[in-house]
Amino acid sequence: MVPALSRQRRTIVTPKNFAEDSMTTSQKMFRAAGIIMAANLLSRVLGLFRDSIMSGVVGFGLETDAYNTAFTLPDFLFWILAGGMISAALIPVLSDYMDDSQREERWRIVNSVINIAVGALIVVSVAAVFLTPYFIKLMVPFSGNVPYDYLLAKRDLATNLTRLLLIQPIFMALSGIAMGVLNTKKIFWPSALGSLLYNAFIIVVAAVLAPKIGVWAFVFGVILGAIANFAVQVPHLRKVGFRYKLIADWRHPAVRRIGIMSLPILLLQVLNQFMVFTYTNMANALGDGPATAIHLSHRIHFMVVGVFAVAFVIASFPTMAEHAAHREKTKFIETFSQAVRMVIFISIPASAGIIMLRIPLVSTLYEHGAFNAAATEAVAIPLFFFAIGITFQGLIMIVPRAFYALKDSWRPVLIGAFAMIVSVGLMLLFNRTFPEDYKTGGLALAMSLGAILQTVVLFAILRRKIGPLDGRNILNSTVKTTLASVVMVVGLFLWGCLTKLVLPSTGELTGVMKKLVSVTDLLSGVCVGFLIFILIAKAFRMEEFHLIMDVVRRRKTGDN
């Protein structure tokens, strides 16, 4: 089978002007990624602040377990009916309709996608309201570790929270479609602002209402935040020419192609949610708190993935889709390689840093009010094992997009399905074999190992599909980044020994003094680790370091 990018436009390109054109594309991608990264970082910080408010006001137990369980069904419905289509099919297909002469047809496609996806979500969500109690019984199973009355209370609360949260995926679908349309125009900041508003609304509503109505305040904040996330993008949709029409042209070739490309993604999301169901079920069966420990540790781990990997996915995916549409193989591989190398350059040291600083990190973020030192230890256990897979979790966001840009959605889905089945099998194994206090770590390790397997196989299949993937540069970057991270870990270990001699033990402290010591321990460790890594990266003359510095310098000088 001939790779989709094997036939390129025949143009005469000299090494000089090709490098200039390539650099221009790279700089645009890095600038876009920088904007998205900054917004995502602020959004994730707000998200951690939101979780910190919850841990202080609500605590670590029934209400937080029920709240985290309540998101399972709404998230499942969003991903199988809209999320997969938005993440995999919308941008590559719309990239074929970017000429001004195709304006009316492009908006007909977008309107059809909106009406079909949102209409399906509304119908299914209404049905889900009645089926929620049965679903929650599966998520919160009977267990000898939990008193029966407590189990019923958790089920009732999770059921009622889920029913209200079923409003959220409708507006998240609208936000995602709006983001996809704007991203094809290389407009990224409205959706980034929307994610900020999402968490900001949750925090404001929770700060006002949580002392009075508890966990319900966070649910109301989620719904208002989802509405704000979509609303802030509407003016920009109108600026690029979009006008809403009640059209559902499912016979249009592009709409049908989006649907066909979405089918394997739907299958993958079903399996992904099955994995979520599995570890949520297992965590709830372990007693009071493990489900929250998994949830909070996954949030911290995903902060790195969500801030950095997602930024390069969003910034590079439209460009890869554009190169694929124009059959520009060299530029396609270059864009892919740069995105992969930047994720590796950022995520490996971040992973190592989280492993080394996990206790002060969790303590700083969550340990106050009803959240005590024992809860910090409980969250730090799965966080260690999640951190092992951070780099691979980032890469499995980028590599499948290369397939999607080539309008090949089946292969990454089949590989992802295989990896998820392996992860679920490992969860069952580790849940039986890990010591009682480390069973949450076993669940996290199973997910990390699944991500590693998925990444390796994806790279192998993609290389077979389109040929060399700039592997020498990717390997060179990986080796240098790993060496720099190892030196950083040694430095952090020595710094930790020093701080233990200077700072008092947090076990002997309470209140403000304990928080101050944790913050000092965390921030000093972050600064030392960052400085060591950057100095080593500079000494290695790493291209990724210089690309970042080039973008920073251009921003400071206002050079566009």
Side-chain angles (χ1 to χ4, degrees), residues 110-173:
V110 173
N111 274 301
S112 297
V113 168
I114 289 174
N115 292 320
I116 293 170
V118 175
L121 266 172
I122 292 172
V123 171
V124 175
S125 295
V126 170
V129 168
F130 300 99
L131 299 174
T132 295
Y134 305 101
F135 177 81
I136 293 300
K137 281 185 180 180
L138 295 174
M139 292 297 96
V140 187
F142 175 76
S143 169
N145 296 324
V146 182
Y148 190 66
D149 290 344
Y150 184 93
L151 174 72
L152 291 181
K154 185 189 285 190
R155 283 179 177 175
D156 287 344
L157 180 57
T159 297
N160 293 327
L161 294 175
T162 299
R163 283 171 166 163
L164 190 56
L165 281 169
L166 285 168
I167 299 171
Q168 182 225 26
I170 296 169
F171 289 97
M172 294 302 289

Side-chain angles (χ1 to χ4, degrees), residues 293-477:
I294 287 278
H295 173 77
L296 293 180
S297 60
H298 188 268
R299 276 196 180 279
I300 296 172
H301 134 270
F302 200 75
M303 181 176 179
V304 177
V305 178
V307 169
F308 301 111
V310 169
F312 283 100
V313 167
I314 294 173
S316 63
F317 187 32
T319 304
M320 284 195 291
E322 185 179 305
H323 291 326
H326 295 158
R327 301 185 184 277
E328 297 168 337
K329 180 178 179 180
T330 302
K331 292 182 180 180
F332 177 91
I333 292 174
E334 183 179 358
T335 301
F336 171 79
S337 171
Q338 287 171 339
V340 166
R341 284 183 280 129
M342 285 307 304
V343 169
I344 290 171
F345 179 74
I346 294 170
S347 63
I348 290 179
S351 175
I354 287 176
I355 289 173
M356 296 298 294
L357 301 171
R358 62 191 183 281
I359 296 293
L361 175 58
V362 176
S363 179
T364 297
L365 292 174
Y366 301 124
E367 194 174 326
H368 63 277
F371 196 105
N372 56 25
T376 293
E377 293 286 347
V379 173
I381 290 170
L383 179 58
F384 174 88
F385 292 100
F386 272 131
I388 294 172
I390 282 177
T391 299
F392 301 94
Q393 291 285 0
L395 291 175
I396 59 176
M397 288 189 163
I398 288 180
V399 186
R401 262 63 177 193
F403 285 92
Y404 302 154
L406 299 170
K407 300 182 177 63
D408 178 358
S409 54
W410 272 109
R411 267 180 272 204
V413 164
L414 293 174
I415 295 165
F418 171 69
M420 287 177 194
I421 292 169
V422 171
S423 288
V424 170
L426 290 173
M427 284 180 196
L428 295 170
L429 174 65
F430 295 158
N431 196 47
R432 288 178 175 273
T433 57
F434 270 51
E436 192 67 30
D437 292 341
Y438 289 88
K439 288 187 183 296
T440 54
L443 298 178
L445 178 60
M447 284 185 270
S448 291
L449 293 176
I452 294 170
L453 174 65
Q454 188 175 350
T455 302
V456 171
V457 178
L458 278 170
F459 265 102
I461 299 298
L462 183 61
R463 190 185 188 284
R464 184 176 179 182
K465 179 180 176 68
I466 65 173
L469 301 172
D470 196 26
R472 181 173 296 178
N473 282 330
I474 292 174
L475 179 61
N476 182 52
S477 179

Side-chain angles (χ1 to χ4, degrees), residues 85 89 93 97 108-109 112-113 116 248-264 409:
M85 174 269 294
V93 173
Y97 293 85
R108 185 175 185 83
I109 296 166
S112 297
V113 168
I116 293 170
D249 186 4
W250 59 270
R251 287 191 175 90
H252 191 286
V255 175
R256 294 181 70 177
R257 202 182 335 155
I258 289 172
I260 291 169
M261 287 181 65
S262 299
L263 284 176
S409 54

Side-chain angles (χ1 to χ4, degrees), residues 43-55 67 198-199 202-203 206 218 222 295 299 366:
S43 178
R44 297 290 171 177
V45 169
L46 289 176
L48 292 172
F49 183 50
R50 172 199 65 207
D51 290 344
S52 182
I53 292 174
M54 178 177 284
S55 65
Y67 173 80
Y198 176 77
N199 280 315
I202 300 174
I203 289 170
F218 294 89
V222 164
H295 173 77
R299 276 196 180 279
Y366 301 124

